[in-house]
Amino acid sequence: MLELKDVHTYYGNIHALKGISLKVEKGEIVTLIGSNGAGKTTTLRTIQGLLRPRSGSIVLEGEELTKIPPHLITERGVSQSPEGRLIFPRMTVLENLEMGAFSRKDKDGIKRDLERVCIVFPRLKERVKQKGGTLSGGEQQMLAMGRALMANPRVLLLDEPSMGLAPILVEQIFQIIQELNKQGTTILLVEQNARMALSIAHRGYVLQTGHIRLQGDAKRLHDDEEVRKTYLGEE
C-alpha cells in the first residue's frame, strides 16, 4: 500500500534520512523504533509531505507522493496523529474532529466517521463541547488520533501516541490502535515504547541515525538480542 524507496531527506545541510526503504502492506501495523534522533519522526513528516526528500520515491498504491503538497497527500489517504498531539486548544472537541475532515465533501461519510470516532473514543463523546486545551493528556491523545481518523485515511501515521501518558493509559491507547487495525485501518506507528510497539505490530523497522538497521517480523525483532539490549533495556 505504501512504499518508500531510497529516500534521502535533509534539514538544511543535515542529512537526516540516508536512503530509507520500507513497505507497509494493506491491513498491517508496521512500527518504526529507534533512539531519539534516529529519524523516525522525520520519516513520517517526509511521507506526509511536510518535508521534501532530496531524492528517492514515496508511493501510495501506485501513485508518487513526493511532488504533491501535504493537504493533497491527506486527500489521497495519508493522515497523521503528530508527536505532541498538536490539537487546537481553543476549539471544542467537535471542532477539532471536524478539522480532521477539512478536505472531505461527503457529508454523510463525515457523519458516519464522527459516529465511529465517538464509539472508538467514548471519552470524546462525553466531552464533545469541551475546549481541547482543557482535556487531560490521554484525552488529548485520543482527540489527535480521532482527528486523524476523520480524514478517512487509507494509511494512519501515529507519532509517539504513548508519550507522556500514565502506564494504564498507554495500555488503553495500544488497545485502541489494535482495534482500529482490526476494523481495517493500515497503520505506520512510531513509538519510543519499543516493547509495546513490537507486541502489537506485524512487522518492524529499527532506525539508527537515518539508516534502517534491522527489519522483519515484529516477534523476531522482539526476540533479537541486539534489539533486547538496545531498545528493550534488557541485559
Side-chain angles (χ1 to χ4, degrees):
M1 176 169 273
L2 178 69
E3 184 173 10
L4 280 65
K5 297 179 183 177
D6 195 27
V7 170
H8 292 258
T9 298
Y10 288 73
Y11 288 101
N13 292 323
I14 299 170
H15 197 176
L17 298 184
K18 304 167 184 175
I20 295 289
S21 296
L22 62 84
K23 287 183 180 182
V24 183
E25 303 289 358
K26 187 173 183 178
E28 282 190 315
I29 299 175
V30 173
T31 187
L32 303 180
I33 62 173
S35 57
N36 286 334
K40 304 185 302 296
T41 293
T42 301
T43 300
L44 296 194
R45 289 174 63 82
T46 302
I47 294 168
Q48 193 71 58
L50 301 171
L51 294 169
R52 288 287 176 213
R54 198 168 292 183
S55 62
S57 70
I58 302 168
V59 178
L60 177 70
E61 293 192 318
E63 182 178 9
E64 178 68 48
L65 299 183
T66 51
K67 300 288 195 296
I68 299 176
H71 69 284
L72 293 181
I73 291 175
T74 300
E75 283 187 15
R76 299 296 195 280
V78 179
S79 182
Q80 182 173 176
S81 174
E83 181 182 7
R85 296 143 202 168
L86 302 182
I87 62 160
F88 300 102
R90 296 183 182 180
M91 290 184 177
T92 65
V93 167
L94 178 60
E95 288 167 340
N96 268 273
L97 294 174
E98 288 173 340
M99 285 297 289
F102 77 94
S103 64
R104 298 175 61 183
K105 305 292 188 287
D106 56 324
K107 291 184 178 180
D108 289 342
I110 292 171
K111 184 178 179 182
R112 281 196 303 273
D113 284 335
L114 188 58
E115 290 170 353
R116 176 196 176 201
V117 167
C118 287
I119 290 170
V120 174
F121 302 102
R123 192 80 61 85
L124 296 183
K125 186 175 183 180
E126 296 168 10
R127 287 158 171 68
V128 73
K129 295 182 180 179
Q130 195 170 319
K131 294 285 179 66
T134 66
L135 301 178
S136 69
E139 290 164 349
Q140 288 188 17
Q141 184 58 60
M142 293 174 190
L143 181 55
M145 291 170 64
R147 182 182 60 189
L149 285 171
M150 286 301 297
N152 192 26
R154 288 186 277 170
V155 180
L156 176 64
L157 310 179
L158 297 177
D159 196 354
E160 303 287 6
S162 76
M163 181 181 285
L165 300 184
I168 190 166
L169 282 174
V170 171
E171 288 192 19
Q172 187 177 354
I173 289 295
F174 275 92
Q175 286 170 0
I176 289 168
I177 293 170
Q178 283 184 294
E179 182 57 35
L180 291 173
N181 181 245
K182 287 177 184 174
Q183 292 176 9
T185 303
T186 301
I187 296 170
L188 179 57
L189 168 67
V190 160
E191 181 54 60
Q192 279 288 111
N193 190 333
R195 187 184 305 278
M196 288 291 286
L198 290 171
S199 74
I200 68 166
H202 299 95
R203 293 186 303 108
Y205 294 84
V206 179
L207 267 65
Q208 190 176 71
T209 58
H211 296 281
I212 300 288
R213 178 74 180 82
L214 296 165
Q215 61 179 291
D217 177 80
K219 186 178 187 312
R220 186 181 69 77
L221 287 176
H222 183 277
D223 294 339
D224 183 272
E225 185 177 352
E226 181 181 346
V227 172
R228 295 180 79 87
K229 285 182 178 178
T230 307
Y231 303 106
L232 306 184
E234 298 184 7
E235 297 297 329

